[in-house]
Amino acid sequence: METPNIINGYPFIIYRKETYNDDQIKQRSADFYGWMNERRTVREFSDRNIDKSVIENILMTASTAPSGAHKQPWTFCVVSDPDIKQQIRVAAEAEEKESYTNRMSEEWLEDLAPFQTDWQKPFLEIAPYLIVVFRRSYEIDSNGKKRQNYYVTESCGIACGFLLTAIHNAGLVALTHTPSPMNFLSTLLHRPENEKPYLLIPVGYPTDTCLVPQLSRKKINEISNWY
Ligand code: IYR
């Protein structure tokens, strides 16, 4: 490791970032947008397995996300055990059945119609991995004292964005699944009090016959205002 500069007692290192010329910047930004624009949320997973090291790399990429005071306030629980996947499916479907039948408004159901979703979640057993993201509201230090985390929702949201990008980069697909409420995940995965479920992300390969809704994305003038 390089010798740091010490500022007020804290170590800093020089940051050298690879730079590109104007043409390269244009090309790279356009290429990356084009490639990201190919990412789709998928609900039809194949049961084809993925090497554990791939999931580890994806999680380490997610964990490079910026976070409040660099607390990295996330825990990724990786589930491949068929029994636990089945328990998660059963619990999620029970909540989803109640939601689709009694909790979701007419407007909500109408907005979801183009996606043809329902309470049944077979992908929770079929996808080789379920990544359950937990947000860590606080930490317990070595003296048993509570230590605050900051901007936990924002930090976890950014980490999940990085996670989805890493999954796409690996040629895999994911579903950002939010069974609601999802407290059952804390129980099933025996999570401590300082962790709350944030997102459930099945990861895998799409089936050969996988369909996704035909969507268009908002245009630049619909998503931005320039001053
Ligand atoms: N959580 C439910 C419902 C659902 C809600 C939204 I907003 C979606 O974009 C998709 C689904 C489910 O997973 O089916």
Side-chain angles (χ1 to χ4, degrees):
M1 265 217 270
E2 70 181 280
T3 314
N5 295 279
I6 306 299
I7 304 178
N8 287 332
Y10 295 94
F12 281 73
I13 51 168
I14 292 169
Y15 179 55
R16 286 197 190 86
K17 176 87 177 74
E18 190 180 353
T19 53
Y20 307 104
N21 67 36
D22 290 358
D23 285 343
Q24 287 172 315
I25 292 173
K26 279 182 191 163
Q27 192 62 52
R28 290 177 65 92
S29 61
D31 288 350
F32 191 68
Y33 161 49
W35 175 78
M36 283 299 283
N37 200 22
E38 285 167 15
R39 187 205 56 80
R40 291 301 307 265
T41 289
V42 152
R43 291 185 172 76
E44 294 169 51
F45 287 84
S46 122
D47 63 2
R48 182 174 161 194
N49 200 15
I50 302 166
D51 197 273
K52 186 184 173 195
S53 66
V54 175
I55 303 296
E56 286 175 345
N57 287 333
I58 286 167
L59 297 181
M60 290 306 283
T61 304
S63 205
T64 67
S67 62
H70 188 52
K71 296 280 187 173
Q72 299 183 264
W74 43 68
T75 301
F76 302 99
C77 291
V78 183
V79 182
S80 57
D81 180 291
D83 291 338
I84 306 176
K85 286 200 292 185
Q86 191 200 19
Q87 290 170 37
I88 290 176
R89 178 182 178 181
V90 168
E93 286 186 337
E95 292 295 358
E96 292 290 271
K97 196 168 191 176
E98 181 58 20
S99 292
Y100 276 89
T101 317
N102 296 315
R103 291 195 282 237
M104 289 155 74
S105 65
E106 280 302 314
E107 182 183 356
W108 193 347
L109 293 170
E110 201 182 298
D111 281 338
L112 283 183
F115 307 94
Q116 287 295 291
T117 57
D118 60 32
W119 63 269
Q120 295 179 82
K121 308 295 173 192
F123 51 76
L124 292 173
E125 282 190 87
I126 298 168
Y129 287 97
L130 307 178
I131 299 176
V132 190
V133 185
F134 286 85
R135 38 169 290 147
R136 301 173 66 94
S137 331
Y138 59 90
E139 306 293 334
I140 304 287
D141 72 13
S142 48
N143 303 318
K145 195 172 158 285
K146 269 192 193 183
R147 298 283 307 186
Q148 236 190 298
N149 285 334
Y150 308 92
Y151 299 100
V152 172
T153 309
E154 292 84 347
S155 303
C156 286
I158 299 167
C160 286
F162 280 30
L163 183 75
L164 296 175
T165 306
I167 291 167
H168 179 52
N169 177 62
L172 301 169
V173 292
L175 168 64
T176 39
H177 182 40
T178 51
S180 176
M182 46 181 173
N183 326 342
F184 66 87
L185 291 165
S186 303
T187 317
L188 285 176
L189 301 174
H190 311 293
R191 300 319 302 162
E193 182 53 38
N194 63 327
E195 293 185 8
K196 298 285 172 251
Y198 183 76
L199 260 190
L200 169 48
I201 307 181
V203 183
Y205 293 89
T207 61
D208 291 339
T209 54
C210 176
L211 295 175
V212 294
Q214 187 173 43
L215 298 179
S216 61
R217 291 183 164 127
K218 289 181 179 177
K219 305 284 172 278
I220 187 70
N221 61 313
E222 298 174 288
I223 60 157
S224 60
N225 288 290
W226 302 62
Y227 299 94

